[in-house]
Amino acid sequence: MTMPRQVLDREISILVPWPPKALWPNARPHWAVKAGAVKEARWEARVLSQDAQKIAGWQTANRIKVSVRAIKAGPGPLPDQDNIWAALKPFFDGMIDAGVCVSDRPEHFELGQIIFERGAKSEITLIVRRLE
């Protein structure tokens, strides 16, 4: 017996790389360097989102909530929440490009919590929950 589709695809997880330095608000890179980093992050998030959607049977949502699990390797301070949201913006755009949600406008896209951890490898997991 299989479960109904709406139960199976309420949440997906998308593993993305740690944002490059050029995407962080305090980095202030040359505009061309930042544009290249944005383009690459957006494309990578699109591809990774499409893969996650296929595995989960995810259909485009009208409204979602995105939480973040950020694992940071190495010494140094963990980023603050405002900076990580800003650095992840191109990844969110890639998710929208992939059809995870209809739009990243506030009526469709809600930001959830951020969980910071230390680990052997720096990476980000975007946890997307359907709210409709």
Side-chain angles (χ1 to χ4, degrees):
M1 178 179 187
T2 61
M3 296 184 72
R5 170 75 71 188
Q6 66 269 19
V7 174
L8 293 174
D9 68 355
R10 296 293 301 171
E11 184 175 291
I12 59 173
S13 294
I14 304 165
L15 183 65
V16 298
W18 192 264
K21 185 176 180 180
L23 295 180
W24 294 88
N26 296 335
R28 295 179 180 43
H30 185 274
W31 67 266
V33 172
K34 182 166 183 174
V38 167
K39 184 176 182 178
E40 185 175 331
R42 187 171 182 159
W43 177 256
E44 191 163 13
R46 178 181 180 168
V47 171
L48 294 169
S49 296
Q50 289 170 334
D51 290 345
Q53 289 178 94
K54 286 178 188 173
I55 291 167
W58 182 273
Q59 300 294 319
T60 301
N62 187 50
R63 191 160 174 255
I64 61 173
K65 182 175 189 173
V66 180
S67 296
V68 173
R69 181 173 175 242
I71 301 174
K72 179 77 168 94
L78 295 171
D80 64 35
Q81 290 190 4
D82 291 340
N83 285 342
I84 201 163
W85 287 128
L88 289 174
K89 175 64 168 118
F91 293 95
F92 297 150
D93 291 339
M95 285 175 25
I96 300 305
D97 294 344
V100 171
C101 187
V102 296
S103 172
D104 64 353
R105 295 183 53 86
E107 60 268 23
H108 300 286
F109 193 97
E110 183 179 319
L111 298 176
Q113 67 177 358
I114 301 175
I115 299 169
F116 291 105
E117 299 176 13
R118 292 282 182 185
K121 180 181 176 186
S122 293
E123 61 187 16
I124 304 279
T125 303
L126 305 175
I127 300 129
V128 182
R129 177 171 283 284
R130 184 183 300 273
L131 295 178
E132 53 189 353

